[in-house]
Amino acid sequence: MDTSVEANPKECVDLGIESLKIDSNHLTGSATQRSDSIERLLDRYQLSGNIQDLELTMHVACKELRVPEGTSPSLLNVLRKLLSLLPTLSDSDDIDRQNYPPILMSGLINILFNRYERLGNVEDLTEAISFASQVVQATPADHPLRPARLISLLNMLFRRHGLTKRNEDLVAAIKAAKEAVALTPKSDPILAGRQRNLGVLLMREYHLTGDAKALDDCISNFKDALKLTPEGQPEYISLLRNLMVVLSNRQKDTDDLVTIISRARKAIQSSPQYSLDSEFHSILGNALSRKYERTGDTEDLDEAISNTDDLVKASTRNHSDMATLHSSLSRLLVIRYECKSGNKDLEEASFQARRAADMTPKGHKDLPCRLGDLGGILLRQFEQKGRLQCLEEAISITTEAITLTQNQGNVFPDQECLQDTGETQECVSGEHRSLTTVNKYYSPEVAGQLSNLGAMLFRKYGCDGYEATLDEAIEKTNAALELIPPDNEMFLHAQNNLGGMLLIRFERTGDMEDLETAIAIATTTVDFTPRNHSGFSGRIGNLSKMLYRQYGRTNRIEDLHNAIAGAEEAVRSLPEKHICKAGELANLSNMLAKRAEKMNSPGDLDRAISTARDAVERTPKSDPSLPGMLRGDLGNMLWKRYQETKQDVDLNEAILRTRGTIGMIENYQSHRLAHIGSSWISFLLKTANMLKRMHLISGIASPTLAIQFANLSNMLVRRYDKTNDLRDLDEAVESARNAVRATPGHDANLAERLRALGSLLSRRYEIKHSMGDRDEVNNLAAQLEDLNDGPGVRVAITVNL
């Protein structure tokens, strides 16, 4: 054995080195042959211990890493061995420690990363990150290559975070990106790319955490990069995209959003290639819709819809682009529908959403989101037309979207890709790749879909009345909340929904714990919602309604004061032309009227009437979803004020308003009946706990309608007493008759309304002597006896006859 050890070094020295083809310190031959030769040089050093052999090996290896056509994968092990030998050398060994180690380590990193991209082995990526971290740690702060080494490290960390979702990878990548930006001179043209990459990392942090500071820093870096980027460059358009996305998320940046939208329009006009860019138009359309939400200007929506529709009609793109356009157009149409309640917009949105989903291949990253969009539209169609099949399909599609998203894993917005800044890692040849994610939507996607599913089940509860359905809606919403960071906007949205569900359960069960929890949730939601947020008015409006319900149970005047303060804030926070303003004004009006009644405050009543008039004027006359309650409440308020002031103008307006209310309720019932299928009606009729809800269907008792008819009858009688106009008396009789017809048999007010009708018929009999009135009075008396109202009823009701 000793003899063989002595022979091998001599054989390596005498034969091996002569066989190597070295020309000016370069190896010749194929990549594999060159790698084998370097390994033989290293073997010779390990056997001879001659430091000059190690110096030659390192020098040749560094030269090999510069070869344009690439290196052999077998070089990886040689580089590992060389790097492992460095710590064993003494200070006296004549080795260039400043240049060789980082170059060799950079080559090792490059080979590992390329192999990871080829084979997908995360262990290769992890090893590359480990070596890259060592390179950065060994590089002095003032070294000219430190920024490039930081960029290399953050790119790999960004890639691994997209795979493993380890928060520490994103934190480390952001730290490296910030340092790289800080070390880059202001005059360096590469600064803009580094600022954009930092913005991308901060955008991902915001999507995951909802951290407002991350969003602010992200916007700041994108804006700085945009200033340094010439218009018309691809990087300029990319920055416009990114800024439109992030500014749409920050409520306080309306002016900045308007500026970026203006630049995007200019880019489309000046660059034909961007006028046909479906993705760019989709993002611009979303930005225009966000601008509408903040300003109430519908012209922005109309422009976005028109532009996208033109692209859809003119496009001959592949399925992927067409699906994007259909999806974008669908979302814009939904927003305009919510703004203008245009039925055609909702129908067209449904068509476009189905096209987008149908054109998206199974397994595509965008399919869950597009199914979710379709589910949301089906929910709106149910709310508009009452078609149960729309709601059932919405629940089914959303459930499918949740399953697909869970199988897909956490994903991120498609704008999150790091720009190729043109930097290379040390002397390693070849382009430094841009690391892009293949995913599109951020990690709380499942939570958002669960929240939507909870909202759909809540609507279903409104149809079937089953407590289990309401409990499931609350369960799904709670499940969504568990998946979302507390400071994320989606958390506030889901929490707001949960508060509404608990309020309804309180109204069903009377459990004050549900009401108190709902109020606590709503208070927290309002506290964490910026005043300029598009959802602030709705959230504080919901809190106001909850406090009003609590006042109804506790009779504490401070609850009523707080409810009114919240309703006033909800009205103030909405743009003047916003479609929801009428509803918030109506809520405020009702609360003011209640306080006027409670505290005998004429000023509150006057203000309630003025506010109700404003609400009525803002309500679309053809809107079938508002069953006339605005006019009804106004009529009641005017009636109450007339009883105090005896002003005929109030009485006459009260009569007109109440007539309008009755007409709107009847139209609403007809609208609902026309869109509810016979199978759905059959289901409702078989459901005992839903019978009380059937006042929505014409011909079935309606307590709401009964109240309005009874009030109108009283008003008309009062005016008849002043004018002796028999037309008022005739209408009063007919209204009282309709009030009786609309009153459920178990209603405690039925006897009173029967007596009121009998009294009016008796008065008219005295004037007209109609036997029909006399007979009807006798029938009413019999009905009252059947209600166990006492044997004296017939005498009392017929005494005037």
Side-chain angles (χ1 to χ4, degrees):
M1 183 175 181
D2 291 339
T3 304
S4 62
V5 171
E6 293 176 356
N8 284 337
K10 186 174 187 302
E11 179 183 355
C12 181
V13 172
D14 295 343
L15 301 178
I17 195 168
E18 292 178 3
S19 65
L20 296 180
K21 299 177 181 179
I22 303 177
D23 181 15
S24 299
N25 295 325
H26 281 83
L27 291 172
T28 58
S30 68
T32 301
Q33 290 172 334
R34 296 195 302 270
S35 177
D36 291 344
S37 297
I38 295 171
E39 187 168 11
R40 290 168 64 186
L41 279 171
L42 179 60
D43 290 341
R44 188 177 71 175
Y45 161 72
Q46 289 176 316
L47 292 172
S48 69
N50 188 340
I51 199 66
Q52 292 181 350
D53 289 337
L54 179 60
E55 171 82 17
L56 177 61
T57 306
M58 289 186 175
H59 183 78
V60 173
C62 289
K63 292 286 188 180
E64 175 66 10
L65 292 172
R66 294 189 179 94
V67 177
E69 63 267 22
T71 58
S72 169
S74 61
L75 186 61
L76 180 64
N77 290 329
V78 177
L79 296 175
R80 283 194 181 114
K81 291 178 182 178
L82 284 171
L83 290 170
S84 67
L85 289 172
L86 289 173
T88 66
L89 302 178
S90 65
D91 295 338
S92 61
D93 291 329
D94 186 19
I95 290 289
D96 187 349
R97 298 174 186 274
Q98 184 175 359
N99 291 314
Y100 285 151
I103 294 174
L104 294 172
M105 196 170 290
S106 297
L108 178 60
I109 292 167
N110 195 50
I111 294 172
L112 284 167
F113 184 75
N114 287 338
R115 191 168 75 174
Y116 155 72
E117 288 207 310
R118 203 170 56 251
L119 304 176
N121 188 347
V122 181
E123 292 179 358
D124 285 336
L125 180 59
T126 298
E127 187 178 0
I129 290 172
S130 175
F131 283 116
S133 298
Q134 294 177 44
V135 170
V136 169
Q137 291 172 4
T139 304
D142 58 350
H143 195 286
L145 290 176
R146 183 171 176 84
R149 293 169 180 173
L150 287 165
I151 295 296
S152 176
L153 173 61
L154 74 86
N155 276 332
M156 288 183 280
L157 288 166
F158 182 79
R159 176 63 68 88
R160 189 169 69 179
H161 180 262
L163 297 169
T164 67
K165 311 303 181 289
R166 288 176 39 178
N167 185 58
E168 51 267 36
D169 281 344
L170 183 58
V171 171
I174 291 172
K175 181 180 178 182
K178 286 181 176 179
E179 184 181 352
V181 168
L183 292 173
T184 306
K186 302 297 183 185
S187 59
D188 194 328
I190 212 168
L191 177 60
R194 290 176 177 174
Q195 287 173 327
R196 179 190 178 276
N197 287 346
L198 175 55
V200 167
L201 293 167
L202 290 165
M203 181 162 61
R204 177 173 287 191
E205 181 184 18
Y206 168 74
H207 284 145
L208 289 172
T209 66
D211 184 359
K213 186 178 185 306
L215 181 61
D216 290 342
D217 291 346
C218 167
I219 291 171
S220 177
N221 276 279
F222 282 152
K223 289 168 72 173
D224 289 344
L226 189 68
K227 292 176 184 177
L228 299 173
T229 306
E231 293 185 19
Q233 295 294 319
E235 293 80 7
Y236 182 83
I237 299 299
S238 178
L239 284 164
L240 286 178
R241 285 188 179 123
N242 287 327
L243 276 167
M244 284 191 288
V245 169
V246 293
L247 288 171
S248 295
N249 285 315
R250 191 165 73 170
Q251 294 293 321
K252 64 184 180 181
D253 275 324
T254 301
D255 291 341
D256 282 343
L257 182 60
V258 170
T259 300
I260 293 302
I261 287 173
S262 176
R263 291 192 177 191
R265 286 169 169 158
K266 181 179 177 182
I268 289 174
Q269 293 171 356
S270 61
S271 304
Q273 67 268 33
Y274 300 121
S275 66
L276 300 175
D277 188 331
S278 61
E279 182 185 27
F280 191 74
H281 274 278
S282 177
I283 295 170
L284 175 58
N286 181 67
L288 286 166
S289 69
R290 291 294 182 271
K291 181 186 172 189
Y292 152 73
E293 290 174 357
R294 299 172 197 179
T295 65
D297 187 354
T298 57
E299 290 182 3
D300 294 320
L301 273 179
D302 295 339
E303 176 193 344
I305 290 170
S306 176
N307 291 342
T308 309
D309 187 45
D310 289 344
L311 278 173
V312 169
K313 292 175 180 177
S315 179
T316 57
R317 291 176 178 77
N318 59 39
H319 271 198
S320 177
D321 280 344
M322 285 301 296
T324 299
L325 287 171
H326 286 300
S327 176
S328 178
L329 181 56
S330 172
R331 293 181 182 185
L332 292 169
L333 288 165
V334 167
I335 295 171
R336 190 167 70 180
Y337 162 75
E338 292 177 342
C339 165
K340 298 183 177 180
S341 297
N343 296 341
K344 291 183 179 179
D345 279 343
L346 190 59
E347 291 295 333
E348 181 65 17
S350 177
F351 171 77
Q352 298 292 342
R354 287 190 186 277
R355 288 292 304 274
D358 291 344
M359 296 175 74
T360 305
K362 298 294 183 183
H364 193 280
K365 63 184 184 301
D366 291 344
L367 183 58
C369 183
R370 289 171 184 168
L371 288 173
D373 288 345
L374 178 56
I377 293 170
L378 288 166
L379 174 62
R380 290 173 176 85
Q381 287 184 306
F382 162 76
E383 292 171 340
Q384 180 199 60
K385 300 182 177 180
R387 292 175 181 167
L388 182 62
Q389 59 267 36
C390 289
L391 181 58
E392 296 289 1
E393 187 181 2
I395 291 172
S396 174
I397 285 176
T398 304
T399 303
E400 180 185 357
I402 290 171
T403 302
L404 289 174
T405 306
Q406 288 173 330
N407 293 338
Q408 191 179 76
N410 292 344
V411 287
F412 301 94
D414 60 350
Q415 292 306 302
E416 291 190 11
C417 59
L418 298 186
Q419 178 182 333
D420 179 5
T421 60
E423 300 172 74
T424 56
Q425 175 60 42
E426 304 294 329
C427 59
V428 180
S429 88
E431 181 182 2
H432 190 289
R433 296 193 181 187
S434 167
L435 303 183
T436 61
T437 60
V438 297
N439 302 310
K440 185 171 182 178
Y441 304 100
Y442 53 90
S443 57
E445 183 68 20
V446 173
Q449 291 164 345
L450 280 170
S451 178
N452 291 341
L453 181 58
M456 293 171 186
L457 290 166
F458 187 45
R459 301 298 194 284
K460 185 178 180 183
Y461 164 75
C463 294
D464 65 27
Y466 290 131
E467 188 174 355
T469 306
L470 178 58
D471 290 342
E472 186 180 1
I474 292 172
E475 176 192 346
K476 297 299 184 185
T477 307
N478 273 320
L481 288 168
E482 291 176 0
L483 298 175
I484 313 172
D487 53 355
N488 190 290
E489 164 58 25
M490 189 184 293
F491 184 89
L492 297 178
H493 177 74
Q495 196 175 48
N496 186 58
N497 289 346
L498 178 61
M501 295 173 193
L502 291 171
L503 175 62
I504 295 301
R505 192 163 72 179
F506 154 74
E507 293 179 340
R508 177 185 181 118
T509 65
D511 187 348
M512 283 297 293
E513 183 179 350
D514 277 340
L515 179 58
E516 290 166 358
T517 303
I519 290 174
I521 288 173
T523 301
T524 302
T525 303
V526 168
D527 288 344
F528 282 92
T529 303
R531 294 302 183 266
N532 59 353
H533 189 283
S534 59
F536 175 76
S537 61
R539 291 170 186 177
I540 197 170
N542 288 342
L543 174 58
S544 172
K545 297 180 188 74
M546 294 173 190
L547 291 167
Y548 190 51
R549 298 290 198 288
Q550 184 168 263
Y551 163 74
R553 290 293 296 267
T554 65
N555 209 31
R556 291 196 304 259
I557 193 65
E558 58 266 28
D559 287 336
L560 182 56
H561 290 328
N562 291 334
I564 290 173
E568 289 172 334
E569 184 70 18
V571 169
R572 282 195 299 269
S573 62
L574 282 172
E576 187 61 26
K577 297 180 181 180
H578 200 286
I579 191 172
C580 294
K581 193 135 188 166
E584 297 299 344
L585 284 165
N587 291 329
L588 174 59
S589 174
N590 292 336
M591 295 173 192
L592 289 167
K594 179 62 70 174
R595 189 165 70 180
E597 178 183 340
K598 174 74 175 178
M599 304 183 69
N600 192 24
S601 170
D604 277 337
L605 183 57
D606 290 342
R607 189 175 163 210
I609 290 171
S610 174
T611 304
R613 282 197 180 109
D614 192 5
V616 169
E617 293 304 318
R618 293 170 181 272
T619 305
K621 303 298 186 292
S622 61
D623 188 348
S625 65
L626 296 174
M629 291 312 298
L630 297 179
R631 286 189 174 85
D633 291 334
L634 178 54
N636 292 336
M637 294 171 199
L638 289 162
W639 171 237
K640 289 176 183 177
R641 189 166 73 177
Y642 167 77
Q643 291 172 313
E644 295 293 331
T645 65
K646 309 304 181 187
Q647 295 291 322
D648 289 344
V649 64
D650 283 341
L651 177 59
N652 292 333
E653 185 180 357
I655 290 171
L656 287 173
R657 297 292 187 183
T658 307
R659 283 172 177 162
T661 296
I662 290 170
M664 289 187 71
I665 293 176
E666 290 176 334
N667 288 338
Y668 176 69
Q669 291 175 346
S670 299
H671 172 84
R672 294 285 288 182
L673 182 62
H675 291 95
I676 297 178
S678 59
S679 60
W680 177 223
I681 295 176
S682 175
F683 169 76
L684 290 178
L685 290 173
K686 293 177 183 178
T687 307
N689 67 341
M690 283 302 297
L691 290 177
K692 63 183 180 180
R693 299 176 182 270
M694 295 303 293
H695 64 268
L696 290 177
I697 301 177
S698 181
I700 305 296
S702 168
T704 301
L705 196 55
I707 291 171
Q708 297 300 328
F709 275 123
N711 288 343
L712 178 59
S713 179
N714 291 335
M715 297 173 196
L716 289 163
V717 169
R718 184 63 60 89
R719 191 164 71 177
Y720 168 73
D721 290 339
K722 294 171 70 71
T723 65
N724 289 321
D725 187 338
L726 285 176
R727 290 175 299 180
D728 283 340
L729 181 58
D730 289 340
E731 187 180 351
V733 169
E734 187 60 28
S735 296
R737 189 179 287 132
N738 287 330
V740 169
R741 290 170 180 163
T743 303
H746 62 275
D747 195 309
N749 294 308
L750 180 57
E752 178 185 348
R753 288 170 184 160
L754 286 168
R755 283 194 293 271
L757 174 58
S759 177
L760 289 174
L761 288 166
S762 297
R763 290 186 67 176
R764 192 168 68 175
Y765 176 77
E766 291 178 350
I767 299 171
K768 295 185 174 182
H769 303 289
S770 168
M771 295 305 295
D773 286 344
R774 181 187 180 95
D775 293 341
E776 188 173 353
V777 167
N778 286 327
N779 289 333
L780 294 173
Q783 291 181 54
L784 283 166
E785 287 181 354
D786 292 340
L787 289 173
N788 297 320
D789 214 35
V793 170
R794 184 184 295 273
V795 175
I797 201 170
T798 60
V799 66
N800 290 327
L801 295 178

